[in-house]
Amino acid sequence: MCLAIPSKIVAVDGDTAVIDVDGVRREASLMLVEDVCVGDYVIVHAGYAISRLDADAAEESLELMRQVFT
Amino acid sequence: MTETRTIKISPITRIEGHASIAIELDDAGNVADSKVHFQSIRGFEKFVEGKPAEELPRIVNRICGICPWHHHLAANKAVDRCFGVTPPPAGQKLRELIQTIAQAEDKLLHFFFLAAADFVIGPDADYAVRNVIGVAKANPDLAKKVVQMRYKAKMMIEKFAGKAIHPVAAVTGGFAKAMTEEDRKWMLEGMREIYDFARFTIDFAKKDIFPKYMDAIASLGVINTGFIGTVDSAGALNLYDGKIRLMKADGSYTDFDVQDYTDYLGEHVPSWSYGKFPYAKSWNEGFSLDLDNPKGIYRSNTLARINVADHMATPAAQAELEEFRQLFGRPAQATLLYHYARLIEEVYACEHAIEMLEDPEITDPNVRAEAEPKAGRGVGCVEAPRGTLIHDYSTDDNGLITRANMIVGTTHNLGPINMSVDQAARSLIKEGHVDEGILNKVEMAVRAYDP
């Protein structure tokens, strides 16, 4: 299911970022988002960061997910 | 000694959610069984119990980061019904407009970024180039244009209706703000530009992409099922509201009010999955994923909507549907036709958004009706990009949720996706021979559904 799990950007190399969700790290393409940098949160869909999230909204979502899925 | 082998594809590239495929081979190296596993959202239904109903539209939109607007609106429609309130016409129209623009944005994203790599680069290409970077290198001007168009649609929603990712603009009883004449003008201009690009896209696909893949379209992941979608009172495809049409594989159908969905749809939990698999309970034949003799299986999403609709409500989309039906009939069963159907819907979404923006009533300042929390039950439904999205809530006297059930677009397709993967795996994997190209073709059968 297309869950909107916010992912934190921990490294950027050109159009590719390394993202972190609760310690799990993956690569994601940054082609579809503008002006993101290390420390920002993004919603990742199928390997592409598709939206940027502010830190408060990301924390709120993560907290919700922890309650729902644990 | 019998030796079996299981091939795992996990996570599936370019589809979201935590989906994985397991293909089991027998001792001769042929496919014995295939299963696709998805994460379930059942935790959400429990989580929302006890919450004030009017807060749900702001909570459930976090279920899906790809289609938050659709969850936001299905939830609002359910709460309206629980509280017995009907939004004024302009409130309904603004909800529908934003939903339609969100649909247009989603289809561009899926076609070019998630699916096109299979078609533009080819399914046998190395994984290193079979992605959007490869597409961009093959056609840099097009890639740039897609990014621009998708950004335009996204910004249009954000500028008028606020947060595109966690929307709050629809409220119980209607919409939080009215549209000004100035908003109407710039949005109309933007939608006309996206419409031109939608026309370019479908012409490009019909000329340069689909003809090369007719063999794959005719064979890959092809199964025989029924379909579900929403139509208006005249039988035209509708994304926001209408009656639900459940069609059998032979093309016969029944229409029903979504408030009665439990009379028509059941939810089956197979022994090997935590997920709920919806099926057509009203067909009275049970549930089976048997490829030769499926029971109760229907599909949702683009191809399903195109199949159940008698016609399209807008002229350019109607012309496209007629051309499609001449080639593939009704209902069309080939799974890869989801991509073609997606582009017909893209044309419709753009045309319909333009129509709504040309309607003077869209700027009517009366966008919200008063609502009081009370006990009730309401089923809210919209067509999300991935299918008929159903939110079903019950509330107590204080308007707190006592029970919630959700059927998310993709879940209608869980059974069919399993069948398509099994069909693709059985036809492609023989005597233990598996390579990257074959596994990607199996994934393509999943990707068509955009799960």
Side-chain angles (χ1 to χ4, degrees), chain B residues 44 55 73 84 87 105 145 162 187 200 211 253 365 391 396 443:
Chain B
F44 232 100
E55 281 184 16
L73 293 176
E105 186 250 317
K145 184 84 177 165
M187 288 177 80
F200 159 80
Y253 59 78
H391 282 234
D396 65 13
E443 280 188 41

Side-chain angles (χ1 to χ4, degrees), chain B residues 48-61:
Chain B
V48 298
E49 284 178 11
K51 301 240 179 298
E54 67 276 17
E55 281 184 16
L56 260 63
R58 297 194 295 270
I59 297 174
V60 296
N61 59 24

